[in-house]
Structure formats: C-alpha cells, structure tokens
Amino acid sequence: MKVAKFGGSSVASAAQLKKVAQIIQSDNDRKAIVVSAPGKRFSEDNKVTDLLIKLGEAYLADKPYQNQLEEVLLRFSSITTELDLSDRILEEIKDDVSSVFASDYPKELKLEAIKSIGEDSLAKILSAYLQSLGIKASYLNPKEAGIILSDEPGSAQILDESFDLLYKLRERKEIVVIPGFFGYTKEGKLVTFSRGGSDITGSIVAAGVKADLYENFTDVDSVYCVNPTIVDNPKEITSLTYKEMRELSYAGFSVFHDEALIPAFKASIPVCIKNTNNPDGLGTIIVSEKEKNGNPVVGIASDTGFLSLYVSKYLMNRELGFGRRLLHILEDEGISFEHTPSGIDDMSVIIRESELPEHKELKVIKRIKEELDPDQVYTERDLALIMIVGESMNSSVGIAAKATEAFSRANVNLEMINQGSSETSMMFGVKEDGVKQAVKSLYEIFFLEN
Ligand code: ASP
C-alpha cells in the first residue's frame, strides 16, 4: 500500500488534477491520497491558503470581505468547470465559509477553520473527479480518518492514539482522499499544522497505515544537492537518509516540510519525492540507511536571517553555570536559540533574527550585563548559515579542509564553524552578502571536482 501526497502546485489547476488522476490510476497500490490546497499556477499567482487567510482576517477585522470570497470561489470554480463537476461543491464551499463565520468559535479557531477550507474543498473535488472517471474513491475528513492533534492552533502536533485509528484505513476497499494540513483536537476543535503542513498529514497517514512507501508529489524531479536558484542545473540526489534530509531541510531545503519526516522515520517508511509533471522520473528516495559509497557530502544547504550573540568573559571556562545562566536569560525572554559554538572564554549563541528583534535585544543585553558581568557582549546581524551534509562524512578525512578551501577560493570570511560529534553536518556562518559565492564554491569543490 502506498500513500501519495500531492502538493499545492500539483493541484493548482484542472490540468494538474488530470495528471494527478492519471498518477493515481497508474498504480493500484496508491490507496490513500492526501492533498494540499491549490497553490500557485505561475509565480505571481496566489496560494488558496493565502487567499483564505486574507478572507478570514478581513472578516475578523469587520472589514468587507466579498472580494476575497469571490477570489477563493473563482479559483475553485475554474477547476470544477473544467473538470465538468457539479456546482454543488462550490455551494458547499460558500456554506462552509458562512457556517464558520456564523459559529461561536473564538477568533483564532475561526481563522483555523477558514484556513482548512482550501485542502478540504480540494479533497472533495478530487474524489468527485475520480468518481466521474469511474474510479472507486471517497473523500475522508481527518476527524473520521482519526487524525487527532494537540491543542496548538497553527502548529499542532500529532497525538499517538491517531496511528491505531489510521491503521483501520487499510480495511477500505476504495481509494480515500484526505485533506492535508489539519486535524482535530480530542475536544473536536479544528486545528492546523504549521504552514506547508500537508506533508505532515501525508507522513502521518503513511505511518498509520504502515504503508510500504510514502510518495510526495511536487513540482521538481528530485531533491537537488544544492539550491537551484544559486547553482544552475545542480546534480540530483537519488537517495538520502532521513537524517540527511532533516539537516538539509533545516537549512533552507524547502522541498519537504522538516516536521514531516518524523512520523515516516519512526515507522521506517521510505519517502519518495516525485514530480507530478514527470511521474516516471526516479525522484529522490529517503530511507533509514543507505550504502556508504560515492561522495560523502550529499548536499549543501544555506539559509539567511541569523544573528550571533557574542559574550566573552575572562576565565569563563572555570565559572560553573555560566552557559546555563546565559541560556536561561534567553529562555526567560522567550527566545529560541539554534547553536552555541564556544571558545575558552567566550560563547556565541546563534539565533534567528526573527526571534530577537532590536527592542528585545536591548533588554537581553542589559540583563546579560547585569546578571553575568561579562567583559564584552554584542550581537552581529545579517548572518547566513551554510551546511554541508552527509552521514558518511564521519568516516572521511579531509572534508573540513576542502570546505575551508572553498570559502577561501570564494574570498568569503568564515564567522563561525560548528560540527557536532555525529558528524552528519558541518556548519559555517558567513555574512549574508557572501553566501551565494561560498555555496557556488562549495558545490564546485565537492560535486564538480570529484
Ligand atoms: N495549504 C497549506 C499552506 O499553504 C498547507 C500545504 O500546502 O501543505 O501552508
């Protein structure tokens, strides 16, 4: 049994949905289908989820929302008309919106319910379309499917009891089409995952039904070893481990939601990234373990928007609890940190800039000065992180030498180097304006010169 998830671009138009139906028909093992809401058809287009958010926000701010509603309906009607489906589905969408607005849910939950309408309606449309082609298929609401989530609107997590409920889906004879991105709390409130969360639903369903494969259909042929907007025509990755994929998606690989790996990983279900526009291509397969041959570096990732909080104090290494107290100040101020490379008498904390806006920075620095009495404390903004990733880096000598050679060739100064003892990734901090040059140079050294 395979679980296939189709992302926003794969369901953005009637033409794309026709390809989806063909893919479903071409393999009888594709029994559970998870869908996103329609995404962009071209680069300036809007995602339906974004339109729905605007609609919900207009309503909640007591502003006119008719235009936003029209825009949503237009997106769906362009699909249903071309697929020759009844107008009943459009009426249902209108009713869904009205009933959310008329409900007595608190504001936050109203917005959650509005956001979910994109996926929910698309799942209804796809199942109706499959039926019109004579395929036995039905729409399945996440509540009926058994997707039970924690009460964290906008960033819900799956609860363990879901998996046994989902296992029962194996008994179904027909294909089930499940909307991604949302589920229900134990109390029955509708809550969503974080943005892009349909990947998470797919992974949860795959884990629940103990699928042989979780196929994630998107709009690229495979995962590339480096960001194709930085390097032209980069090499494709044919296989990588969960751990490698997790590290790459942390630092900017946006092909697959990073939370989506966990359920598949825990249940040891291979994940395959495929292209709806080229379904016969090999794609990229993500597995627990792979043979250690070939290039020890599988990919290079980079992400911008970081800062370093630098604290130094003579004899810091002998001051018991210094690190804990520093991190405690951050915790106290609700700031999440990413990494903490350190020296003998200094410690840097790498933080996403969004976590520490300037007004918070003043407060944090004041507290550090008062509570830790450092010699120096300051922040350095506009940092980018670059990671080279590969599980077999741990048994290869000379990787760091090559990497630093690449930075030197690109004439980019290294602000920070970090490698944990798992040696699955090596991380470099550089100023944002040097990131592209550095990534290109790393690609040349690790992928072209080998
Ligand atoms: N539609 C949702 C979003 O745009 C979830 C998804 O597409 O995966 O974030």
Side-chain angles (χ1 to χ4, degrees), residues 36-37 47 49 119 181 195-199:
S36 280
K47 292 181 173 187
T49 308
E119 272 69 12
F181 190 42
R195 291 298 305 269
S198 298
D199 283 349

Side-chain angles (χ1 to χ4, degrees), residues 181-385:
F181 190 42
F182 70 99
Y184 292 82
T185 65
K186 278 187 195 164
E187 295 74 35
K189 295 185 221 164
L190 187 159
V191 283
T192 65
F193 295 115
S194 53
R195 291 298 305 269
S198 298
D199 283 349
I200 310 177
T201 307
S203 181
I204 287 166
V205 173
V209 301
K210 299 201 174 23
D212 299 298
L213 183 65
Y214 170 31
E215 296 176 304
N216 199 279
F217 282 90
T218 170
D219 54 6
V220 289
D221 276 344
S222 61
V223 179
Y224 296 104
C225 62
V226 66
N227 186 339
T229 65
I230 300 182
V231 172
D232 288 335
N233 295 320
K235 296 193 174 169
E236 295 179 354
I237 306 179
T238 47
S239 71
L240 76 172
T241 65
Y242 295 112
K243 202 156 183 218
E244 290 167 341
M245 185 69 207
R246 159 82 182 117
E247 304 256 349
L248 288 170
S249 52
Y250 165 79
F253 269 51
S254 56
V255 198
F256 195 55
H257 196 300
D258 57 358
E259 280 176 53
L261 275 177
I262 302 147
F265 164 69
K266 283 193 184 158
S268 293
I269 292 159
V271 180
C272 188
I273 312 281
K274 287 191 146 225
N275 191 348
T276 299
N277 307 309
N278 178 23
D280 296 328
L282 280 181
T284 298
I285 185 105
I286 307 165
V287 288
S288 313
E289 267 180 57
K290 64 177 184 114
E291 268 181 47
K292 290 192 175 178
N293 54 16
N295 196 342
V297 176
V298 298
I300 303 163
S302 59
D303 202 6
T304 52
F306 293 91
L307 64 83
S308 163
L309 171 68
Y310 176 82
V311 186
S312 77
K313 185 175 185 183
Y314 187 56
L315 296 182
M316 181 195 282
N317 64 330
R318 293 203 211 148
E319 193 173 325
L320 191 66
F322 190 94
R324 181 187 53 73
R325 282 184 287 141
L326 173 60
L327 295 178
H328 184 250
I329 293 176
L330 295 178
E331 182 183 348
D332 224 24
E333 298 297 331
I335 297 156
S336 161
F337 75 93
E338 305 292 314
H339 314 280
T340 53
S342 61
I344 304 167
D345 287 336
D346 57 65
M347 209 168 144
S348 301
V349 189
I350 309 292
I351 301 170
R352 287 198 190 263
E353 285 186 296
S354 54
E355 286 284 310
L356 192 62
E358 313 257 345
H359 69 274
K360 256 191 179 177
E361 176 182 330
L362 293 176
K363 187 167 178 211
V364 166
I365 294 216
K366 185 164 173 271
R367 279 193 62 182
I368 294 173
K369 283 185 178 158
E370 283 167 9
E371 294 172 35
L372 300 176
D373 192 26
D375 299 330
Q376 248 189 331
V377 50
Y378 60 84
T379 60
E380 219 177 307
R381 289 183 175 263
D382 303 325
L383 277 189
L385 294 185

